[in-house]
Amino acid sequence: MPSRPLTLMAVHAHPDDEATGTGGVLARYAAEGIRTVLVTCTDGSCGDGPGGVKPGDPGHDPAAVALMRRQELEASCEVLKISDLEMFDYVDSGMAGWPSNDAPGSFWQTPVQEGAARLAELMRHYRPDVVVTYDENGFYGHPDHIQAHRITMGALEMSGLTPKVYWTTMPRSMMQRFGEEMPEPDPAEAAALAEIGLPDDEITTWVDTTPFSGQKFDALAAHASQGENIFFLKMGKERFGELMGMETFVRVQDATGAAVPENDLFAGLR
């Protein structure tokens, strides 16, 4: 075992992303004594405001939303027992096609090299053994998720470090189940949902986080201002635990030689 703590670094785009795709592994590895570092790239200011007011509508104050979402993120980190929270506070770019994509200072408009240099500095500081982020399409095409992927891969190259690197994903079989869970499933929407993620046999890493699904649910619930947009909360905690207990990844960099499929992000490191 190394003298420094084993470290997991998750790089996410917005407050609440940490809970959706990686809440289980963050809680599980924290419980195992691993240092967990969360890097959140944007301020979340394109989220809903109080009362569900939408971006661009009267009464939506981006600065107030950003402050509220920071407080919610800190509460989520407390639930997940995250060791270190690092926030870049780039301006939220909004969903694909929104005018906010083009706003000066938005994350989407930030040069990749700039964001990558900031992240590389954090990587050199924390020296993560495992890094988790999104794939090149940001899992579902969100500009800020794509940008988080780009700066992460750029930072890894700049830092010269060789941690195990994973991209979050979902098995297609699970996406199909989510489609079936929708209260009034729209066939086209359910079909589109079923195309997100990867065929089950292309997933390299299946981590059972079932004992931590309650924490994951509570971390998502901490982002109360965005509750209208968080489909998973509508399931209730019991059903959520049944469906969301397994977190899945594609391993894209590894120097340990650990065999795949694997059931532990730290396989080969301990």
Side-chain angles (χ1 to χ4, degrees):
M1 288 287 290
S3 55
R4 61 184 180 80
L6 283 170
T7 300
L8 166 65
M9 176 180 281
V11 183
H12 282 292
H14 312 98
D16 78 29
D17 290 333
E18 80 289 339
T20 308
T22 57
V25 291
L26 287 166
R28 170 180 161 167
Y29 290 122
E32 292 178 9
I34 288 170
R35 180 170 62 177
T36 51
V37 180
L38 170 63
V39 182
T40 301
C41 295
T42 80
D43 61 5
S45 55
C46 282
D48 289 358
V53 63
K54 304 296 181 186
D57 287 351
H60 186 279
D61 179 348
V65 170
L67 176 60
M68 175 177 62
R69 297 199 70 187
R70 182 186 188 99
Q71 293 166 344
E72 291 176 339
L73 177 60
E74 290 170 351
S76 172
C77 288
E78 187 72 26
V79 170
L80 297 173
K81 308 301 181 190
I82 289 170
S83 311
D84 300 271
L85 170 62
E86 299 282 355
M87 295 192 70
F88 284 167
D89 283 326
Y90 288 113
V91 176
D92 190 341
S93 311
M95 300 293 284
W98 287 14
S100 49
N101 296 172
D102 302 319
S106 70
F107 190 38
W108 184 240
Q109 291 299 318
T110 299
V112 171
Q113 291 295 98
E114 177 192 317
R118 291 181 67 184
L119 184 55
E121 186 176 343
L122 288 182
M123 287 181 175
R124 286 189 287 264
H125 173 72
Y126 288 108
R127 302 190 68 80
D129 301 279
V130 172
V131 173
V132 176
T133 192
Y134 316 100
D135 63 21
E136 63 271 21
N137 189 46
F139 185 59
Y140 68 98
H142 194 297
D144 287 332
H145 290 222
I146 293 169
Q147 191 76 329
H149 162 85
R150 291 173 177 172
I151 74 161
T152 303
M153 303 313 289
L156 286 162
E157 190 172 342
M158 284 183 186
S159 71
L161 300 173
T162 56
K164 295 180 81 176
V165 180
Y166 294 90
W167 296 343
T168 58
T169 191
M170 283 272 196
R172 293 263 171 87
S173 60
M174 186 174 290
M175 297 307 296
Q176 186 174 352
R177 289 171 72 189
F178 287 152
E180 293 164 358
E181 286 288 315
M182 296 169 76
E184 296 179 6
D186 175 275
E189 195 173 339
L193 200 62
E195 289 303 307
I196 296 175
L198 290 173
D200 292 31
D201 60 2
E202 292 182 22
I203 292 171
T204 64
T205 310
W206 303 70
V207 184
D208 184 3
T209 63
T210 304
F212 304 94
S213 59
Q215 269 177 270
K216 181 174 177 174
F217 184 91
D218 290 343
L220 267 176
H223 297 280
S225 68
Q226 309 307 306
E228 183 183 328
N229 305 316
I230 302 177
F231 160 72
F232 304 112
L233 290 176
K234 298 177 175 65
M235 298 177 181
K237 187 175 279 191
E238 184 176 347
R239 186 61 175 152
F240 179 88
E242 293 170 359
L243 289 175
M244 299 291 285
M246 184 73 69
E247 291 187 351
T248 51
F249 306 86
V250 174
R251 193 176 81 189
V252 294
Q253 179 175 299
D254 170 64
T256 69
V260 292
E262 60 187 357
N263 61 11
D264 179 10
L265 297 179
F266 287 85
L269 291 168
R270 54 179 178 170

